[in-house]
Amino acid sequence: MKPTTIANLFSRGTRAARVVLVLAALCACASPAAAWSNHALCTWPALAVLPQVTAAAPVEVERLEDFLAKEAPALVRLLEDEERWARAHVPVYPPRPDALAFRTDGATGDELTRRFVAAVRINPASRLAPYLQLPPGQPAGSRPVLGESDVTTLTRSETTRANVFVALPPGAKVPVIDVVATGSDEPDHGFDIGLWEDNGTAYGRTYGFGKQPFGANPAIEFASQAPLHVGFFHEAAIIYKAAPFLQRTYPEYRIHLWQTLAAHALRSGHRYWGWRFAGWALHYIQDLTQPYHARVLPGVGVAGMLWINTLDIVGWHAPKTDAIALVTNRHLALENYQLHRIRAAYLRGDRADAALRALQDTARDAASPYTDASPRAAITLQSAGYADALDRTLEARLPRKYISEPSYVFGETEPDLDLLAVVAQAGPAAEAAMTDALVRLLGNFGTHTRAFVRALPDSSR
């Protein structure tokens, strides 16, 4: 089958032809596995209208090892309770090995931190020293500027490129909103890389997550984080029967873990870590507002997904390969447009930009409280329901080569592509359609971000 034929399968006008698309294309969900380009840029405006954050006193910076030393006995109990919660409430949960349970036994400093990192099962190389990301255009002043390698384990990170990071000394006072916004992007800096037993890492062989269920792609540095950053909770029952590994997605585990730690830190007076943990939890909530993280293959019906799985099994791999390329390109195209749109608004100082206004729109906040059920029952239900319409918009309003040509590799064929500029050249209709799509998505992003923060203990003092 020629690539152009596969591209046509994504066309709105070839509904019958969709029966030749691939269930195995769910491998594409690891490419990319980041839902939004730079969460912090969206978290700042989303929380700028929330008095719980804006009126809160600045927090005092604290090193992780100091927080752990002071709270170690309580954290032993808390993390044991959290493990019991996850085993009871997260479907198909991979239990944390008992050997990794957080214990103190007189440990201090780096050893206590190592034990905590193992107990929460994140990449041991994660950068956990205090730092802040600065909004675009804000000068670092006298604060030491950090390099990319100081904040991320990735060697090629679109998330950190063009951003400015500054180190924070213990005892410094910083605004709550900056701590939360910075934290909301941190999980994309390597927290969930290499955690699976077949990822070739020593820690992956001990963490107990099992083999990576999907998305394993050695060519993509961050591919292994996918199952923790997506939530495929609303596919047809027959899809789960054909591909039961789709149920092995664990954002609920991460959200509840960081939420529990945030609440404890806030209640016990460790406000810096309370808000930083809150930012970590927000990352996964915000990921789930992205339709390409809530549906395996937007724009493709159940029959098509099953059929292409059959084709792949019998040895006809081209449909799978091309489908992966197309859904990946559409996912990345949306992120590219979002990143350039938001960054440009910051640099212009344009608070009236529709994307920033959407992030601050509180009209639906009262109807969207956050509970433990929200990621599955509300957030992904909302984003999955919009996935097909979003996919149609991208197909109709972006140039064909970016979203319908499998030979085009988004981010590599044209490394410095700016889709905001491309859409502007396409004319007012394209600009209006892309704005409408982004406004809808970022409205959800802002609503669920604020709902989660409202559910945290009060920490205004």
Side-chain angles (χ1 to χ4, degrees):
M1 182 174 287
K2 296 180 180 180
T4 53
T5 304
I6 288 296
N8 288 340
L9 298 176
F10 279 76
S11 170
R12 289 175 294 167
T14 56
R15 183 173 301 176
R18 289 178 181 171
V19 294
V20 290
L21 279 176
V22 70
L23 175 61
L26 49 88
C27 294
C29 69
S31 174
W36 297 108
S37 289
N38 200 324
H39 288 237
L41 298 186
C42 296
T43 302
W44 271 302
L47 294 182
V49 294
L50 189 61
Q52 183 175 344
V53 171
T54 58
V59 299
E60 183 173 317
V61 174
E62 181 182 27
R63 299 182 307 167
L64 179 60
E65 51 264 43
D66 294 332
F67 166 69
L68 296 176
K70 293 173 183 175
E71 295 298 319
L75 292 177
V76 169
R77 296 188 297 272
L78 179 148
L79 290 176
E80 198 59 38
D81 289 344
E82 183 63 19
E83 178 63 18
R84 281 193 288 271
W85 181 91
R87 293 184 186 191
H89 294 92
V90 179
V92 204
Y93 175 70
R96 183 216 61 216
D98 291 340
L100 297 183
F102 186 60
R103 299 286 182 269
T104 57
D105 302 327
T108 59
D110 291 344
E111 174 58 19
L112 195 60
T113 300
R114 185 197 66 78
R115 294 184 184 188
F116 175 77
V117 165
V120 298
R121 294 192 285 182
I122 62 173
N123 180 354
S126 299
R127 314 305 198 230
L128 301 175
Y131 73 92
L132 286 184
Q133 178 179 327
L134 302 183
Q138 183 181 114
S142 61
R143 294 173 291 190
V145 175
L146 300 174
E148 272 193 82
S149 62
D150 295 314
V151 301
T152 182
T153 67
L154 303 178
T155 59
R156 182 183 178 186
S157 175
E158 296 299 321
T159 304
T160 58
R161 192 175 71 175
N163 296 327
V164 176
F165 304 93
V166 295
L168 293 175
K173 296 293 184 68
V174 291
V176 166
I177 196 169
D178 291 341
V179 176
V180 183
T182 298
S184 72
D185 205 44
E186 283 191 80
D188 272 347
H189 299 339
F191 279 19
D192 300 315
I193 302 298
L195 306 187
W196 310 92
E197 69 179 46
D198 53 347
N199 286 166
T201 64
Y203 56 94
R205 290 190 288 271
T206 66
Y207 274 5
F209 282 111
K211 292 183 178 180
Q212 187 169 339
F214 55 84
N217 186 342
I220 301 171
E221 187 179 17
F222 51 85
S224 61
Q225 77 177 30
L228 288 149
H229 291 243
V230 304
F232 297 141
F233 304 140
H234 303 288
E235 301 293 340
I238 192 172
I239 296 297
Y240 296 121
K241 289 184 179 180
F245 51 85
L246 280 180
Q247 299 176 73
R248 294 178 60 201
T249 58
Y250 304 116
E252 294 163 300
Y253 158 58
R254 280 291 192 237
I255 293 166
H256 198 274
L257 172 64
W258 304 135
Q259 179 188 31
T260 300
L261 284 164
H264 174 80
L266 291 172
R267 290 188 180 110
S268 58
H270 300 275
R271 296 176 63 239
Y272 171 78
W273 278 102
W275 288 112
R276 190 166 174 183
F277 287 139
W280 294 2
L282 276 175
H283 180 94
Y284 301 86
I285 290 171
Q286 293 165 349
D287 271 359
L288 299 181
T289 66
Q290 222 275 37
Y292 287 96
H293 274 230
R295 280 279 305 280
V296 176
L297 203 58
V300 179
V302 173
M305 294 169 70
L306 294 172
W307 179 242
I308 197 167
N309 188 52
T310 302
L311 295 178
D312 193 59
I313 289 172
V314 301
W316 192 1
H317 305 304
K320 167 187 171 180
T321 301
D322 288 351
I324 289 174
L326 295 180
V327 75
T328 298
N329 283 350
R330 294 179 185 202
H331 188 158
L332 285 170
L334 175 63
E335 292 185 20
N336 181 287
Y337 178 78
Q338 166 256 325
L339 177 63
H340 285 92
R341 177 72 180 261
I342 297 293
R343 190 183 295 279
Y346 271 91
L347 293 175
R348 293 194 313 270
D350 184 5
R351 297 183 180 181
D353 184 89
L356 296 185
R357 292 203 314 270
L359 286 162
Q360 297 182 322
D361 184 1
T362 61
R364 291 177 295 138
D365 284 15
S368 305
Y370 184 84
T371 70
D372 289 346
S374 293
R376 186 177 294 258
I379 301 172
T380 51
L381 185 64
Q382 187 179 59
S383 50
Y386 182 48
D388 289 346
L390 172 65
D391 197 70
R392 290 193 296 269
T393 296
L394 297 182
E395 180 186 8
R397 296 304 179 181
L398 295 181
R400 178 180 175 80
K401 69 175 180 178
Y402 301 131
I403 44 85
S404 295
E405 293 184 8
S407 61
Y408 187 90
V409 182
F410 207 101
E412 294 185 14
T413 303
E414 297 176 79
D416 297 317
L417 177 67
D418 178 352
L419 271 189
L420 178 64
V422 170
V423 171
Q425 293 174 356
E431 288 186 293
M434 290 299 293
T435 294
D436 288 347
L438 191 60
V439 162
R440 178 168 176 172
L441 293 171
L442 294 183
N444 295 340
F445 182 110
T447 293
H448 296 301
T449 293
R450 289 186 294 274
F452 175 82
V453 171
R454 286 192 183 96
L456 292 170
D458 182 30
S459 148
S460 57
R461 293 185 300 275

